[in-house]
């Protein structure tokens, strides 16, 4: 077997490329004539048109099977997460007492977050169930969350701007919404906060919780979904840190104590708990 | 010198002494040149081809991790793990390819050792065939034309010996060798033959003076080692393909790197995209698959009596468009056999098939009885001893070919020749010579009458001259004109069949010449005229049984079969007609002239499809004239050609753009064998030299094996195409997730690890299983591929894999992905642009379409579930892809599902996918999560679509051969 080796010069390669792009003899552009291009493009147009139609059809069929009311599966949301407000990047709440601008945006956000809504007054201590009973009961009514429950952190007539201007900031803790989740399993539940390590606990100092004990009432559950549960207001727990050691970063961890919420997920650091950093800079 | 050979000039060494020397000097073989060290080969596997791309990916991963560690203390280790996985993957594939390559080269090595070189030595006065390696200094060796010289020899006797020292001196002219000492310089002197040069003709006997590395060749070989081996077509094809894919990967990677930077992603993220795109583009398992396919085929071919010397020759054989075949031994059985008899004014046919089932003819006639006796008695051939157990046709004989044919025929159809000869002892004979053109012998009658009978056979016209009477049904009649005319017709008819015709006659000698009479054959003292003519027997070297079929297959496969033979044109033409090289109904210009009864010069040679070219005409032809013949005639026979002319013919065919396979057995064939695109040597009759020059060796010398080889070659090329089409298809569903992730900012539908799981896990066995796929029905019905523009990977294949099936697969994956997200709360419309929030690990209350809020980890688990499902969807659509890749033209219903390895492949990929998804701990190890059963079914409609679409496509191709769809999508 004899193997010929052809070495092409650079010029030849360029020449071949030129001829490939436009061949004046055969009127071929990129190896195809105009009609040939037209045919192949038409083919792919039809082919992809058909595929798009098929994809759209299957997607449509799928979306028909998905209810507007509740998602089909919720097993990934078995444990609702906790989150804080003000929400900051990296979850660091940094307050420069003298620097108004540093916390002003937090205050703006909180003001917006706590804007009052006109909702029902419900009976505390039990779930506010609104079953469909065969007929769609819609829209669902939502329970009122009274800001006054938040006491010093309610921001009502508060010259200290949620304590930010005095170095005693309020941090709000909320639980993630999960449709049809009966948080607490008919028992009362509350939020507790601690310093993560011993030195954090020391630096953290005293704090007060609103409502008292960090209780979350059952009447805010269950949640029926964005579409049906218009104006739903989430219950909140506020923590006011009274004497945090200034100029030190403090790791705080808050968790919810409820019968049906596990807070020990190794992987998910936000399942039933939330960790954030608190730093109060004073000069 | 003579001292060394003392006392051994006729007897040779004693075997014991030879053993001693062998132990002392070692085997007579060159120390193999230092081959590429194993670790270099290993490194080549580790860093060559696609590996380098993956290494780049791995290094980028480590870099990204390094940067992350440097800037952020609490960085995740994802990139570190990915980098390590990539590195491990490269190493594992490297090891696998290395192992495969080592295995295949071992197999090829063993093939090479299956045709060991033999030498004829004389030890203790006995001639014996031993392996060349066992030849020792002092051995008495005999060489003959066609042999390779087994060691450095000092000649002691020669008969017309010529050697070709070109491998040593570069001189191509054969040199005469004789026992005379003619020159001081051992290279110049005439009485020394050198190891590994070739004896071209004649015979010689010599004493070994040096073996192995101490030979002249050995000393030179240790200086310059190894030949530079060029790239074979398939190696070039694969390299071309790797370059293409690497180019695409690089282009896509870099352009999306730039695009992601423009879209505002960070450097780090852009680098991670780059890695993903590279990994998605590279078919990691493909090279291993190719090696496996080739090795498999080489093994399969050796089972079918084709020994392939280099792996890639298989593929070249598949693209063969012209076969120049020898006649004797390849197309024919290489043994003269009685084909026809003419007695009692009738032509009888004898059985010439290899099995010799024995046709019946007028065995009852007395004429047959006498004819058989003459043929058996007036015959010098004899069976060699000790082969009574063999069938008659297979027994070895002494004596020339026609006499052996007669001997075997009579033994078979009449009775034991030995007994006959014992009962009718020969008292005198005149052997055949070319001036007499007859052979005569006188035997004693067996009936005890003490009378003698004179029997004669020879060239028919000579025999007729001796005769005055003829035998018809056992009765003598005086010779008349009618009989002479009958005789002429029969003679012409048999001669026209290309057969060698002999005439037979006898004379019962009068009683004056009864027992005891001393016959003198020099001065003839007995009557030798007015003999009684008995009949004619004609012989031919009959075609092998499988050949006509094989030639027919070649013809339907668009392969031109050209017969090149040294034989007489008439014989050549007869055999060519017999095996179908000149097909029925086609005639040469001469035939046409005879039919129209005009001189040959008046016929239009263009009208004749067939032609028989005489070697002497070929000698006077210019290359243009030869081209003309090759172009205008489909059926060509070259007769009376010399081996040198074979080379001219090969070159002529190659000028037509043909891929030429050439068979050859002689020393002189080696230039043609080397010149051909694929040289085929004969395992039985071939000389060592031809075997060395060839790329392939036919162990059974059978032309039909070449056709099997062609079929295998085509099959491997087809199957490689199918395998590549299958593997490439899944690249689209692997790469589109990245592209849409970047462009639409949706959560990543398919991760790097899952891509590797597809390429190296689920796709591997199915891709290899396609190598076991049996041929499609049209494999020997289509024209040979044109190596210039019909590449292994052409744009039609890319179009099919990437543009059509791959797209359907990608849609299947995305559909599953959207289903899972929607069923968990994220509707498709809300996903667009969600990426930044989705990827923010501190955003732990991301809202879905229902108002539920998700922590980072919760949605990541969902994302990885989607990735697992995307992966499973690819497996599901790859089922359909595997099934459609089984065939390129036929329907799967025609092809059947007989490939068990393929079925195993489907099962394996499914089980592997289920294993990866459901095994506990996979969520930590590979971040793959268990799927709900309905999610397996999402891709099914697309799987069905792939199958239906391709069946329709193939149906259209079959219905409209050469149509637009075939031109654009038949890969």
């Amino acid at each position: 077997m004899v193997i010929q080796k052809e070495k092409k010069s650079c010029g030849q390669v360029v020449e071949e490329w030129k001829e490939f792009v436009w061949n004046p003899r055969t009127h071929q552009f990129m190896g195809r004539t105009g009609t040939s291009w037209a045919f192949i493009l038409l083919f792919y147009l039809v082919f992809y048109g058909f595929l798009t139609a098929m994809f759209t059809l299957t997607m449509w069929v799928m979306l028909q099977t998905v209810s507007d009311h509740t998602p089909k599966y919720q097993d990934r949301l078995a444990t609702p997460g906790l989150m804080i407000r003000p929400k900051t990047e990296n979850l660091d709440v940094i307050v420069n007492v003298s620097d108004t601008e540093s916390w002003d945006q937090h205050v703006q956000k909180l003001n917006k977050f706590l804007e009052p809504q006109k909702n029902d007054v419900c009976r505390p201590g039990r779930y506010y169930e609104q079953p469909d009973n065969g007929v769609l009961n819609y829209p669902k009514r939502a329970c009122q969350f009274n800001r006054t429950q938040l006491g010093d952190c309610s921001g009502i007539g508060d010259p200290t701007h949620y304590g930010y201007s005095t170095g005693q900031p309020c941090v709000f803790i909320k639980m993630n919404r999960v449709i049809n989740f009966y948080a607490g399993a008919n028992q009362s539940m509350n939020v507790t906060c601690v310093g993560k390590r011993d030195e954090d606990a020391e630096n953290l100092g005293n704090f007060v919780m609103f409502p008292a004990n960090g209780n979350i009432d059952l009447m805010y559950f269950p949640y029926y979904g964005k579409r049906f549960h218009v104006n739903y207001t989430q219950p909140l727990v506020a923590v006011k840190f009274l004497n945090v050691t200034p100029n030190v970063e403090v790791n705080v961890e808050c968790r919810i104590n409820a019968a049906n919420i596990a807070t020990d997920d190794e992987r998910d650091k936000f399942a039933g708990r939330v960790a954030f950093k608190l730093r109060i800079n004073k000069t | 010198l003579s001292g060394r050979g003392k006392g051994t000039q006729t007897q040779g060494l004693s075997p014991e002494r030879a053993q001693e020397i062998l132990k002392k000097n070692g085997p007579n073989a060159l120390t193999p040149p230092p081959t590429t060290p194993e670790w270099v080969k290993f490194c080549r596997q580790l860093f060559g081809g696609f590996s380098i791309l993956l290494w780049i990916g791995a290094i980028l991963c480590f870099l990204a991790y390094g940067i992350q560690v440097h800037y952020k203390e609490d960085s995740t280790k994802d990139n570190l793990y990915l980098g390590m996985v990539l590195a491990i993957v490269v190493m594992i594939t490297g090891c696998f390819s290395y192992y495969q390559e080592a295995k295949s080269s071992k197999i090829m090595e063993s093939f090479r050792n299956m045709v060991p070189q033999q030498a004829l030595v004389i030890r203790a006065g006995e001639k014996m065939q031993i392996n060349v390696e066992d030849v020792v200094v002092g051995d008495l060796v005999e060489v003959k034309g066609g042999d390779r010289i087994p060691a450095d020899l000092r000649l002691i006797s020669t008969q017309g010996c010529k050697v070709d020292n070109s491998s040593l001196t570069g001189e191509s002219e054969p040199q005469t060798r004789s026992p005379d000492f003619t020159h001081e310089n051992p290279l110049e002197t005439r009485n020394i033959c050198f190891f590994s040069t070739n004896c071209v003709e004649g015979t010689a006997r010599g004493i070994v003076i040096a073996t192995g590395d101490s030979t002249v060749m050995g000393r030179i070989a240790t200086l310059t080692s190894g030949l530079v081996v060029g790239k074979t077509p398939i190696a070039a094809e694969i390299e071309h393909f790797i370059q293409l894919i690497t180019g695409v990967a690089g282009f896509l990677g870099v352009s999306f790197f730039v695009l992601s930077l423009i879209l505002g992603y960070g450097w780090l993220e852009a680098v991670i995209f780059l890695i993903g795109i590279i990994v998605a583009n590279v078919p990691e398992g493909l090279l291993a698959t190719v090696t496996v396919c080739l090795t498999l085929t080489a093994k399969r071919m050796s089972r079918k009596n084709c020994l392939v010397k280099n792996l890639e020759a298989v593929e070249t054989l598949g693209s063969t468009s012209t076969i120049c075949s020898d006649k004797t031994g390849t197309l024919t059985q290489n043994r003269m056999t009685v084909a026809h008899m003419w007695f009692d004014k009738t032509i009888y046919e004898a059985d010439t098939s290899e099995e010799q089932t024995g046709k019946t003819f007028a065995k009852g006639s007395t004429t047959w009885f006498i004819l058989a006796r003459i043929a058996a008695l007036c015959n010098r051939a004899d069976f060699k001893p000790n082969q009574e157990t063999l069938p008659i046709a297979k027994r070895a004989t002494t004596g020339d070919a026609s006499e052996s044919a007669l001997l075997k025929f009579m033994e078979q159809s009449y009775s034991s020749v030995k007994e006959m000869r014992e009962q009718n002892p020969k008292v005198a004979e005149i052997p055949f010579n070319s001036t007499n053109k007859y052979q005569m012998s006188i035997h004693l009658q067996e009936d005890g009458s003490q009378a003698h009978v004179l029997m004669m056979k020879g060239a028919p016209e000579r025999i007729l001259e001796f005769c005055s009477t003829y035998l018809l049904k056992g009765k003598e009649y005086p010779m008349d004109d009618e009989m002479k005319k009958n005789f002429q017709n029969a003679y012409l008819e048999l001669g026209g069949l290309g057969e060698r015709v002999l005439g037979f006659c006898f004379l019962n000698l009068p009683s004056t010449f009864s027992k005891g009479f001393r016959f003198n054959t020099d001065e003839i003292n007995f009557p030798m005229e007015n003999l009684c003519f008995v009949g004619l027997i004609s012989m031919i070297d009959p075609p092998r049984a499988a050949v006509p079929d094989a030639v027919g297959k070649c013809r339907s496969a668009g392969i031109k079969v050209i017969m090149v033979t040294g034989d007489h044109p008439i014989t050549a033409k007869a055999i060519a007609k017999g095996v179908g090289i000149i097909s029925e109904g086609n005639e040469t210009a001469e035939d046409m002239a005879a039919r129209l009864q005009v001189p040959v010069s008046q016929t239009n040679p263009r009208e004749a499809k067939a032609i028989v070219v005489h070697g002497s005409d070929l000698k006077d032809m210019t290359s243009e004239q030869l081209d003309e013949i090759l172009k205008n005639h489909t059926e060509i026979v070259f007769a009376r050609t010399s081996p040198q002319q074979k080379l001219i013919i090969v070159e002529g065919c190659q000028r037509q753009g043909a891929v030429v396979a050439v068979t050859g057995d002689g020393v002189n064939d080696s230039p043609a064998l080397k010149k051909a695109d694929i040289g085929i040597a004969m395992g039985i009759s071939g000389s060592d030299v031809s075997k060395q020059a060839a790329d392939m060796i036919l162990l059974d010398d059978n032309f039909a094996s070449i056709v099997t080889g062609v079929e295998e070659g085509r099959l491997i090329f087809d199957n490689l195409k199918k395998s590549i089409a299958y593997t490439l298809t899944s690249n689209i569903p692997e790469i589109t997730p990245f592209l849409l992730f970047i462009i639409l900012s949706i959560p990543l539908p398919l991760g790097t690890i899952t891509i590797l799981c597809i390429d190296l896990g689920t796709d591997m066995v199915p891709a290899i299983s396609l190598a076991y796929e049996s041929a499609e029905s049209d494999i020997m019905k289509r024209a040979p591929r044109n190596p210039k523009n019909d590449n292994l990977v052409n744009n039609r294949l890319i179009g099919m894999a990437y543009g059509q099936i791959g797209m359907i697969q990608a849609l299947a994956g995305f559909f599953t992905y959207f289903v899972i997200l929607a069923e968990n709360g994220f509707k498709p419309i809300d996903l667009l642009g969600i990426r930044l929030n989705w990827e923010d690990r501190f955003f732990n209350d991301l809202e879905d379409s229902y108002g539920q809020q998700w922590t980072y980890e919760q949605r990541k688990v969902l994302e990885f579930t989607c990735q697992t499902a995307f992966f499973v969807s690819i497996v599901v659509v790859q089922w359909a892809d595997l099934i459609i890749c089984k065939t390129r033209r036929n329907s799967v219903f025609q092809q059947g599902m007989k490939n068990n390895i393929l079925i195993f492949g489907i099962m394996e990929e499914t089980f592997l996918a289920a294993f990866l998804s459901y095994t506990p701990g996979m969520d930590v190890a590979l971040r793959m999560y268990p799927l709900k059963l309905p999610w397996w079914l999402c891709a099914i409609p697309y799987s069905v679509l792939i199958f239906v679409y391709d069946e329709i496509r193939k149906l259209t191709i079959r219905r409209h051969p050469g149509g637009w769809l075939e031109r654009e999508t038949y890969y």
Side-chain angles (χ1 to χ4, degrees), chain B residues 553-818:
Chain B
K553 256 187 172 176
C554 282
R555 178 152 299 132
S556 62
I559 301 168
K560 200 166 167 179
V561 183
I562 295 176
M563 184 199 275
V564 183
T565 174
D567 254 351
H568 199 270
I570 295 176
T571 318
K573 193 167 131 192
I575 291 292
K577 283 197 164 162
V579 299
I581 287 180
I582 296 180
S583 52
E584 241 172 280
N586 271 353
E587 42 187 12
T588 62
E590 290 80 13
D591 289 337
M592 215 175 351
R595 179 167 55 86
L596 302 172
Q597 298 190 329
V598 293
V600 177
S601 54
Q602 281 185 16
T603 59
N604 180 2
R606 289 275 170 92
E607 271 175 40
K609 286 265 164 57
I611 189 168
V612 179
V613 183
H614 199 279
S616 55
D617 298 337
L618 185 60
K619 206 178 346 176
D620 303 329
M621 271 181 206
T622 61
S623 51
E624 285 78 27
Q625 281 170 310
L626 179 61
D627 287 356
E628 189 85 349
I629 286 177
L630 292 172
K631 220 179 288 172
N632 293 327
H633 296 89
T634 50
E635 299 171 346
I636 307 171
V637 173
F638 289 96
R640 285 261 182 259
T641 45
S642 64
Q644 283 76 15
Q645 288 177 322
K646 211 174 196 175
L647 185 64
I648 298 173
I649 296 166
V650 171
E651 283 170 341
C653 293
Q654 284 175 336
R655 269 201 302 277
Q656 314 294 314
V659 176
V660 188
V662 172
T663 69
D665 46 14
V667 180
N668 297 325
D669 290 333
S670 54
L673 288 176
K674 277 194 179 139
K675 178 74 203 171
D677 296 282
I678 182 153
I680 302 165
M682 298 297 143
I684 302 169
S685 63
S687 60
D688 293 347
V689 184
S690 66
K691 284 183 197 168
Q692 271 197 322
D695 302 297
M696 218 176 79
I697 298 166
L698 292 186
L699 291 179
D700 59 355
D701 287 17
N702 192 346
F703 180 81
S705 304
I706 303 179
V707 183
T708 324
V710 171
E711 201 171 330
E712 286 292 334
R714 288 184 172 196
L715 183 61
I716 185 68
F717 198 76
D718 283 6
N719 283 353
L720 271 183
K721 267 190 174 185
K722 291 171 184 174
S723 191
I724 289 175
Y726 172 79
T727 319
L728 283 188
T729 307
S730 61
N731 269 9
I732 288 295
E734 283 166 14
I735 194 147
T736 38
F738 263 101
L739 307 190
L740 293 193
F741 168 63
I742 294 168
I743 297 169
L744 300 181
S745 283
I746 52 176
L748 183 63
L750 189 70
T752 319
I753 302 282
T754 23
I755 291 174
L756 289 175
C757 283
I758 296 166
D759 283 352
L760 298 168
T762 57
D763 266 3
M764 265 309 229
V765 178
I768 292 174
S769 77
L770 281 172
Y772 290 87
E773 189 59 39
S774 52
E776 278 176 71
S777 57
D778 69 330
I779 189 155
M780 289 303 271
K781 293 201 179 86
R782 54 183 141 93
R785 90 183 173 99
N786 182 344
K788 282 213 186 78
N789 51 30
D790 190 0
N791 289 333
L792 184 62
V793 178
N794 48 32
N795 50 10
R796 294 180 297 281
L797 190 146
I798 296 278
M800 271 297 294
Y802 281 5
Q804 294 158 46
I805 308 298
M807 287 298 171
I808 304 179
Q809 294 198 336
L811 288 187
F814 277 105
F815 176 62
T816 315
Y817 163 86
F818 283 124

Side-chain angles (χ1 to χ4, degrees), chain B residues 154-159 161 177-179 203-206:
Chain B
R154 183 200 180 283
L155 301 179
I156 51 176
S157 68
T158 59
Q159 266 136 23
C161 177
R177 281 292 175 261
S178 67
T203 58
R205 183 181 276 211

Side-chain angles (χ1 to χ4, degrees), chain B residues 350-581:
Chain B
D351 181 25
T352 54
S353 71
E354 273 143 302
E355 298 84 43
Q356 295 283 4
T357 43
K359 264 185 204 153
T360 46
F361 49 89
K363 277 188 182 170
S365 166
T366 323
T367 322
W368 155 244
F369 172 72
I370 294 171
L371 184 66
R373 279 167 53 89
I374 303 173
L377 294 175
C378 182
N379 190 330
R380 291 164 62 97
D382 207 346
F383 290 112
K384 285 185 182 168
N386 305 327
Q387 35 181 5
E388 281 76 18
T389 50
L390 287 173
I392 295 166
K394 297 257 164 66
R395 291 186 201 169
T397 54
T398 59
D400 83 5
S402 359
E403 294 210 305
S404 301
L406 289 171
L407 172 71
K408 285 181 183 171
F409 182 67
M410 293 312 156
E411 181 87 17
Q412 187 119 41
S413 346
Y414 189 63
S415 72
S416 166
V417 173
K418 205 176 162 202
E419 281 171 29
M420 230 191 296
R421 286 184 187 169
E422 274 165 8
Q423 286 164 5
N424 302 281
K426 193 191 287 176
V427 289
E429 87 176 317
I430 302 172
F432 184 88
N433 70 44
S434 50
T435 41
N436 281 348
K437 292 193 173 162
Y438 67 82
Q439 177 183 2
M440 192 268 323
S441 60
I442 298 169
H443 299 261
L444 203 61
Q445 288 279 35
E446 66 183 321
D447 51 11
S449 63
Q450 309 288 318
H452 285 107
V453 60
L454 184 150
M455 293 172 170
M456 192 187 270
K457 75 160 191 255
E461 64 278 11
R462 282 287 286 155
I463 295 295
L464 199 66
E465 285 169 19
F466 285 105
C467 297
S468 57
T469 58
Y470 70 94
L471 210 59
L472 185 66
K473 311 241 156 127
K475 290 206 179 79
E476 275 192 56
Y477 295 94
M479 188 64 72
D480 51 19
D481 281 348
E482 196 206 333
M483 175 60 195
K484 279 188 179 160
K485 206 177 149 201
N486 280 335
F487 165 86
Q488 275 306 331
N489 287 343
Y491 184 26
L492 274 180
E493 185 173 345
L494 295 177
L497 291 171
E499 295 174 3
R500 191 184 293 172
V501 190
L502 289 178
F504 295 81
C505 60
F506 79 105
L507 178 68
N508 285 318
L509 291 176
S511 50
T512 42
F513 301 98
S514 62
K515 195 174 178 183
F517 184 84
R518 294 177 64 85
F519 294 96
N520 189 339
T521 52
D522 292 328
E523 289 161 40
I524 290 170
N525 57 355
F526 50 88
M528 238 177 70
E529 57 215 359
N530 299 327
L531 277 73
C532 176
F533 181 81
V534 183
L536 300 172
I537 296 181
S538 69
M539 282 149 291
I540 197 162
D541 179 11
R544 286 168 179 271
V547 170
D549 217 28
V551 171
K553 256 187 172 176
C554 282
R555 178 152 299 132
S556 62
I559 301 168
K560 200 166 167 179
V561 183
I562 295 176
M563 184 199 275
V564 183
T565 174
D567 254 351
H568 199 270
I570 295 176
T571 318
K573 193 167 131 192
I575 291 292
K577 283 197 164 162
V579 299
I581 287 180

Side-chain angles (χ1 to χ4, degrees), chain A residues 42 67 81 154 165 178 185 195-196 218 230 238 245 255 270 283:
Chain A
L42 183 72
S67 104
S154 67
S165 56
V178 176
K196 208 170 192 179
L218 296 185
V230 193
T245 314
R255 61 179 67 221
F270 293 88
T283 40

